[in-house]
């Protein structure tokens, strides 16, 4: 994928994909085989680890969807964006910020995630 915005759009779409096979196909497209994902709650390496993390979030926040909280900002091989998790079209329950590094193969090689708004007990 040559367009960073499209890559990040597809990456966030993986977080909304509840069909395990379809989600895995998206991850193979956008996330490096040995990519690293780190946020305050989890740190995983590889597609299997990220896939499991996404499935766990979907289990915890079933029925909620991820959306962009603004435009993707990118330069060179890095991008950053704000994301929301909540009922579609409603106030987000969770708000976060991710920075991604894009590897030479055009896939995301690293995600550094931050949580700005988290519900109590999550």
């Amino acid at each position: 994928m040559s367009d960073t915005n499209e890559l990040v759009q597809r990456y966030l779409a993986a977080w909304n994909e509840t069909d395990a096979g379809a989600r895995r196909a998206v991850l193979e497209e956008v996330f490096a085989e040995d990519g690293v994902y780190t946020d305050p709650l989890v740190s995983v390496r590889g597609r299997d680890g990220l896939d499991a993390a996404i499935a766990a979030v979907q289990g915890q926040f079933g029925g909620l969807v991820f959306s962009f909280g603004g435009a993707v900002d990118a330069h060179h091989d890095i991008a950053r964006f704000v994301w929301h998790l909540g009922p579609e079209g409603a106030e987000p329950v969770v708000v976060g910020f991710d920075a991604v590094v894009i590897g030479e193969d055009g896939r995301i090689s690293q995600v550094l995630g931050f949580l700005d708004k988290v519900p109590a007990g999550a």
Side-chain angles (χ1 to χ4, degrees):
M1 243 179 235
S2 60
D3 180 56
T4 300
N5 191 51
E6 181 182 346
L7 176 69
V8 172
Q9 295 272 346
R10 295 286 297 144
Y11 166 75
L12 197 63
W15 285 84
N16 287 324
E17 182 54 68
T18 56
D19 177 272
R23 182 175 60 242
R24 183 59 184 221
V26 174
L27 289 178
E28 288 176 4
E29 176 187 345
V30 303
F31 195 71
E33 186 174 355
D34 62 346
V36 176
Y37 175 91
T38 306
D39 72 22
L41 304 175
V42 66
S43 181
V44 297
R45 178 176 294 276
R47 292 181 190 135
D48 290 342
L50 181 55
D51 193 22
I54 292 171
V57 168
Q58 290 176 349
Q60 184 177 7
F61 295 101
L64 303 184
V65 295
F66 285 89
S67 61
F68 286 96
V72 175
D73 183 25
H75 64 81
H76 296 86
D77 62 350
I78 56 176
R80 65 181 181 164
F81 58 95
V82 173
W83 52 264
H84 294 165
L85 176 64
E88 193 162 357
E91 186 71 23
V93 176
V94 182
V95 176
F97 171 94
D98 284 2
V100 301
V101 177
I102 302 165
E104 290 182 16
D105 67 354
R107 291 182 176 96
I108 295 169
S109 62
Q110 185 176 25
V111 178
L112 302 170
F114 298 84
L115 300 173
D116 297 321
K117 175 184 171 185
V118 179

